[in-house]
Amino acid sequence: MKIGGVRGQLMKGTTPMLILSVLRDEELYGYEIAQLIRDRSGGAFGPSEGALYPALHSLEAQGALKASWRDGDKGPRRRYYAITPTGRGLLAAHEAEWASFSTGVLRAMSPIHE
């Protein structure tokens, strides 16, 4: 597997957790969500539209997000997303799973010291 393939798979697997984490504090629309993920990661990664919107719709279908249309200040209407109590529970589960997974990966990758 190419290194880029690993990055893509990791991004795909973590996109729902990243979306929920940026919505923890405020309601945002799609572009703002992607931008905030990019900003928080220091530009290391950010979801493409092709990954972001299916994940948003899936989270909404699961009851983790609620969405509402609002008129834009200087442009078209925008769909804003807010995390729900179900979404907060899902985020907590994702965070615990990620902490366990990432700790295990780091341990497995550490050299053995004699």
Side-chain angles (χ1 to χ4, degrees):
M1 177 181 276
K2 302 182 307 184
I3 296 298
V6 170
R7 184 183 193 89
Q9 288 300 311
L10 284 170
M11 192 65 211
K12 181 179 179 183
T14 58
T15 295
M17 178 177 60
L18 295 171
I19 289 169
L20 292 170
S21 70
V22 299
L23 291 172
R24 178 184 355 229
D25 299 320
E26 62 182 317
E27 295 180 23
L28 301 166
Y29 62 91
Y31 177 80
E32 290 176 320
I33 294 167
Q35 191 61 46
L36 192 51
I37 291 170
R38 271 187 216 93
D39 291 349
R40 286 187 181 180
S41 71
F45 53 84
S48 67
E49 286 185 21
L52 179 67
Y53 289 100
L56 285 168
H57 297 149
S58 176
L59 288 166
E60 187 179 4
Q62 294 173 49
L65 300 178
K66 64 178 180 176
S68 60
W69 286 99
R70 297 190 194 152
D71 290 332
D73 293 337
K74 298 177 184 176
R77 290 172 28 125
R78 295 185 170 128
R79 192 166 171 94
Y80 279 79
Y81 295 90
I83 194 168
T84 65
T86 298
R88 290 186 186 283
L90 186 58
L91 176 58
H94 277 301
E95 288 173 330
E97 186 176 18
W98 180 257
S100 174
F101 175 79
S102 61
T103 298
V105 169
L106 290 173
R107 285 183 181 156
M109 292 177 62
S110 297
I112 299 174
H113 299 286
E114 294 181 20

